[in-house]
Amino acid sequence: MTAIVIDGKKISQELCESIAKKIKESRKIIPSIALINASADPASEIYVAKKVRLAESVGIKSSVYKFEGGTDANKIADLIRKLNSDAGVHAILLQSPLERGLNFRNLVDLIDPRKDVDGLTTINQGKLFTGEPDIVPCTPLGIMHLIRSVRQNMTGAHAVVLGRSSIVGKPTSQLLLNENCTVTLLHSRSQNTAEICRTADIVVSAVGRPRYVTRDFIKPRAIVIDVGINRIEIDGAKKIVGDLDFDAVAEVAAAISPVPNGVGPMTVAYLMYNTLQLAQANTA
Ligand code: NAP
């Protein structure tokens, strides 16, 4: 292997230490986050529990609202309205993906944009794309932090983002554009994907397909960030892998962020960061 492996776990721990320090020093604000779990993903319980543990460790108060399968959207809507008017709650997260039949866009847009901790309301997404964001989605913030850990000045770099979701691909493209990268956003209908990727100095893969990004996609000395989370079975054992054919890509890349211990812990750390930002911005 020639690539540097970017240690997202360590970087996220450093970020969390600085968040905990700020909360301790501020004394007057105890940031608070409400986590709404109406997710179809069986792993969501584990993700939410992780967020609760991390929140506690940095000094953020958290509360979890769990909805079972078949929940009426009105019940979730009522909860969001209640949390919006609760001055003791600074941040609200609607865990995705939602149960079948629940419309994420309709529900997330009920969150008061001042409490929208993952920057996913239409208002906050719009502000991001007009260049004046109040709050930026957590995963893209984590991705940018990992890239910056190995390359601070991105001006003029060609960055390719694979995947165009509102939660990862599109906002990451905007953040890379803000850093003066030339950005290419690819998706399932794109043509010549590997060929275009091979011209990139920075590749961010948020597709959700194991071993999709092979060595052929990567220009020598590129920076490669793997966002994908894929559950696969190897020899009867369940494993979490990203989108990269990791060992092969690591042979050519300059730096590579792995799965697990790459973007995942950064996302949760930035959830804490954004909660603190919202608490500070909205406490008189
Ligand atoms: P998503 O909404 O399903 O979006 C996937 C994107 O990949 C879509 O834009 C899709 O294109 C594109 N795509 C599919 N096949 C492709 C191909 N062959 N070539 C290029 N693009 C292709 O997923 P998401 O929410 O963005 O998440 C993406 C992955 O990141 C998932 O594995 C997810 O679990 C993971 N994730 C990780 C974190 C973390 O914290 N580590 C956070 C969020 C998501 P179309 O638009 O044309 O369909």
Side-chain angles (χ1 to χ4, degrees):
M1 189 197 302
T2 57
I4 295 168
V5 178
I6 303 171
D7 190 344
K9 195 172 172 188
K10 182 163 169 261
I11 297 171
S12 71
Q13 279 165 353
E14 288 162 2
L15 177 60
C16 287
E17 278 163 24
S18 76
I19 295 167
K21 191 163 170 263
K22 278 188 197 141
I23 293 173
K24 209 169 166 193
E25 282 167 5
S26 89
R27 284 159 201 262
K28 62 177 191 303
I29 313 170
I30 298 175
S32 151
I33 183 169
L35 301 153
I36 304 174
N37 185 6
S39 176
D41 184 352
S44 69
E45 297 255 355
I46 300 167
Y47 294 147
V48 170
K50 246 187 211 171
K51 289 167 186 172
V52 168
R53 277 199 305 276
L54 190 62
E56 195 183 351
S57 76
V58 298
I60 290 175
K61 192 178 150 216
S62 67
S63 40
V64 177
Y65 300 87
K66 169 85 182 131
F67 289 91
E68 301 302 334
T71 301
D72 179 356
N74 289 322
K75 283 194 177 155
I76 303 172
D78 287 346
L79 172 66
I80 293 173
R81 289 190 194 99
K82 198 170 128 219
L83 295 169
N84 282 343
S85 56
D86 183 342
V89 173
H90 302 111
I92 304 171
L93 181 80
L94 184 60
Q95 182 77 28
S96 66
L98 290 178
E99 287 281 347
R100 265 173 93 100
L102 294 174
N103 182 307
F104 187 79
R105 176 56 43 208
N106 288 349
L107 285 171
V108 87
D109 268 337
L110 295 174
I111 297 176
D112 182 333
R114 290 166 301 179
K115 298 191 178 192
D116 170 24
V117 71
D118 209 5
L120 291 178
T121 55
T122 301
I123 288 187
N124 282 326
Q125 293 252 303
K127 285 184 172 179
L128 175 63
F129 290 106
T130 53
E132 287 169 35
D134 288 332
I135 200 89
V136 175
C138 302
T139 301
L141 281 174
I143 292 167
M144 295 306 291
H145 193 137
L146 294 182
I147 298 171
R148 237 178 259 116
S149 74
V150 288
R151 176 166 177 169
Q152 274 165 26
N153 183 352
M154 297 173 216
T155 295
H158 180 208
V160 164
V161 179
L162 290 157
R164 57 175 162 179
S165 70
S166 300
I167 193 164
V168 190
K170 282 188 201 141
T172 302
S173 302
Q174 182 61 43
L175 297 182
L176 287 161
L177 197 57
N178 293 351
E179 294 292 327
N180 301 317
C181 290
T182 301
V183 181
T184 306
L185 181 54
L186 300 177
H187 48 79
S188 68
R189 310 292 176 89
S190 296
Q191 303 285 311
N192 307 322
T193 300
E195 199 181 303
I196 296 167
C197 267
R198 257 198 317 275
T199 66
D201 305 299
I202 298 167
V203 176
V204 176
S205 183
V207 169
R209 288 179 60 177
R211 299 203 170 186
Y212 175 66
V213 176
T214 59
R215 187 186 174 128
D216 292 359
F217 282 56
I218 305 301
K219 175 166 118 176
R221 310 304 297 155
I223 296 166
V224 188
I225 306 294
D226 194 353
V227 190
I229 300 177
N230 306 294
R231 287 175 192 86
I232 59 164
E233 235 178 84
I234 301 177
D235 301 331
K238 291 201 170 104
K239 225 185 142 191
I240 289 184
V241 297
D243 291 346
L244 308 184
D245 183 356
F246 186 87
D247 292 341
V249 169
E251 291 292 328
V252 276
I256 183 168
S257 104
V259 174
N261 296 330
V263 175
M266 295 303 294
T267 296
V268 194
Y270 269 104
L271 187 67
M272 304 303 132
Y273 176 91
N274 277 355
T275 301
L276 174 59
Q277 296 292 107
L278 293 178
Q280 286 174 335
N282 297 309
T283 304

